[in-house]
Amino acid sequence: MLMSELDGKIWMNGEFCDWKDAKIHILTHTLHYGTGVFEGVRAYKTNSGTAIFRLNDHTDRLFESARLIGMQIPFTKDELKQAQCDSVRINNLNNAYIRPICFYGSEGMGLRADNLKVHCCVAAWDWGTYLGEDKIKNGIKIKVSPFPKRNEMSMLYKAKVTGNYLNSMLALRDALNSGFDEALILDTDNSVNEGSGENFFIIKNNILSTPDLTTVLDGITRKTIISIAKDLGYSTVEKKISLDEVFEADEAFFTGTAAEVTPVIQVDNNNINNGLPGEITKKLQDTYFKLIRGNIKKNDSWLTLVDKNEK
Ligand SMILES: *Cc1c(COP(=O)(O)O)cnc(C)c1O
């Protein structure tokens, strides 16, 4: 099934339209120059109904991404939160992946990017496990990406900006073409950065380490895992990580809204934990799945029930 031919409704600039009619003009600025900001959000079925996970944080980050590229979103945070809840409800989704995107329209060409209208849309659909059920359970093999590398001089990795994903896509395709499941992108100083759309963690002697935020996206799942780890009695160090440390790690995993918590069992030709998901990784993953489904009371404030937000 083509993405453009799913059934349902898409929220465009304040109104819902039919899925198949959610179209834009060929001269849309963002199509040419990568000038959009977006989010990847998930909603899960809980005992009290479908709930969006960390909606406030995702919406805050969307506005922060826009601020970093000088884009003014013509809706309030509350309006965009409502649009995300409505998109899940109107499409009758129990579990959903939600994609808000803000982009410049077709009012003008060129890089001056002035006098352009900012368009905002929200699509939501049922999207299972990003890397597949088998991978999330049994782990993935990742390839250290020879290029492109992340550069400390660019602040833009803090933003979920569409243009950044050309790098990610090239790295991922290189990994897939070599028979791996994901890429591990490096910084220009060869320290470890992140996956194509996931943050990276290693565990050594019961301590978690993850690259500091200098050149990685401030992932919401990353933050969630640091918090879960703390609750389970594990500390996390945020620092530069060398490839040698990765090869010597006891365990490794990726985090992201799409990838959730995915064990890494091989990096290039080196097995991690003898090619099996690690015990601590499994504990963190298990707790994450309980949390997003509303089975951990303490974290209820991270769940927004879509029905409660009914107009
Ligand atoms: C979205 C994204 C992540 C994961 O962030 P979450 O907030 O956990 O979904 C990590 N890295 C990149 C490059 C991303 O785009």
Side-chain angles (χ1 to χ4, degrees), residues 58 61 160 165 194 196-199 217 219-221 256-257:
H58 281 286
R61 188 172 64 191
K160 254 181 133 70
Y165 293 85
E194 59 181 332
S196 62
E198 305 92 0
N199 291 111
L217 189 91
I220 290 166
T221 320
T257 300

Side-chain angles (χ1 to χ4, degrees), residues 79-92:
E79 285 169 328
L80 288 189
K81 285 181 212 172
Q82 187 70 52
Q84 293 172 80
C85 288
D86 290 347
S87 299
V88 174
R89 203 180 46 247
I90 250 181
N91 289 300
N92 292 315

Side-chain angles (χ1 to χ4, degrees), residues 51-307:
I52 300 182
F53 186 60
R54 300 194 74 164
L55 176 62
N56 291 335
D57 298 292
H58 281 286
T59 308
D60 285 348
R61 188 172 64 191
L62 181 68
F63 277 75
E64 178 59 11
S65 298
R67 193 187 67 78
L68 283 167
I69 67 161
M71 171 189 273
Q72 294 230 303
I73 297 181
F75 291 92
T76 63
K77 286 184 182 176
D78 280 343
E79 285 169 328
L80 288 189
K81 285 181 212 172
Q82 187 70 52
Q84 293 172 80
C85 288
D86 290 347
S87 299
V88 174
R89 203 180 46 247
I90 250 181
N91 289 300
N92 292 315
L93 300 166
N94 285 324
N95 296 291
Y97 184 80
I98 310 163
R99 169 54 57 85
I101 181 164
C102 303
F103 58 94
Y104 291 122
S106 50
E107 294 78 18
M109 268 287 135
L111 293 174
R112 297 173 63 95
D114 48 5
N115 299 318
L116 296 174
K117 187 176 158 201
V118 177
H119 298 257
C120 295
C121 299
V122 179
W125 66 94
D126 193 344
W127 206 19
T129 312
Y130 179 62
L131 295 158
E133 282 300 329
D134 166 54
K135 306 285 183 190
I136 207 158
K137 183 152 175 276
N138 299 317
I140 57 169
K141 300 174 179 177
I142 65 177
K143 181 182 179 211
V144 176
S145 191
F147 92 104
K149 297 193 180 174
R150 294 276 163 88
N151 177 353
E152 291 211 4
M153 299 311 283
S154 171
M155 294 162 53
L156 281 184
Y157 295 113
K158 302 239 168 302
K160 254 181 133 70
V161 176
T162 57
N164 281 349
Y165 293 85
L166 175 58
N167 281 341
S168 283
M169 190 199 75
L170 292 174
L172 177 57
R173 298 225 335 203
D174 170 66
L176 294 174
N177 287 339
S178 312
F180 290 83
D181 304 300
E182 247 298 350
L184 181 60
I185 297 170
L186 302 180
D187 280 343
T188 44
D189 68 0
N190 287 336
S191 60
V192 169
N193 188 284
E194 59 181 332
S196 62
E198 305 92 0
N199 291 111
F200 183 66
F201 285 79
I202 56 172
I203 305 176
K204 180 78 182 176
N205 299 330
N206 294 324
I207 297 174
L208 280 69
S209 303
T210 190
D212 62 72
L213 290 176
T214 320
T215 49
V216 304
L217 189 91
D218 188 0
I220 290 166
T221 320
R222 177 183 181 278
K223 280 201 274 252
T224 305
I225 286 299
I226 292 173
S227 151
I228 290 176
K230 188 155 174 259
D231 290 346
L232 295 176
Y234 300 103
S235 56
T236 305
V237 186
E238 298 178 56
K239 63 176 187 91
K240 266 195 190 303
I241 297 176
S242 70
L243 268 178
D244 282 342
E245 286 175 85
V246 174
F247 295 141
E248 286 162 13
D250 299 331
E251 305 184 20
F253 61 91
F254 272 139
T255 65
T257 300
E260 297 166 314
V261 179
T262 302
V264 170
I265 54 166
Q266 187 181 322
V267 182
D268 284 349
N269 290 322
N270 306 273
N271 276 345
I272 306 281
N273 192 39
N274 297 317
L276 295 169
E279 286 310 312
I280 301 175
T281 302
K282 283 199 280 191
K283 256 200 267 182
L284 294 166
Q285 187 190 52
D286 189 53
T287 311
Y288 182 76
F289 285 140
K290 282 189 183 134
L291 199 163
I292 56 181
R293 299 204 167 81
N295 292 327
I296 296 182
K297 265 265 149 302
K298 173 174 175 279
N299 298 107
D300 270 359
S301 63
W302 282 344
L303 305 179
T304 303
L305 290 168
V306 300
D307 289 334

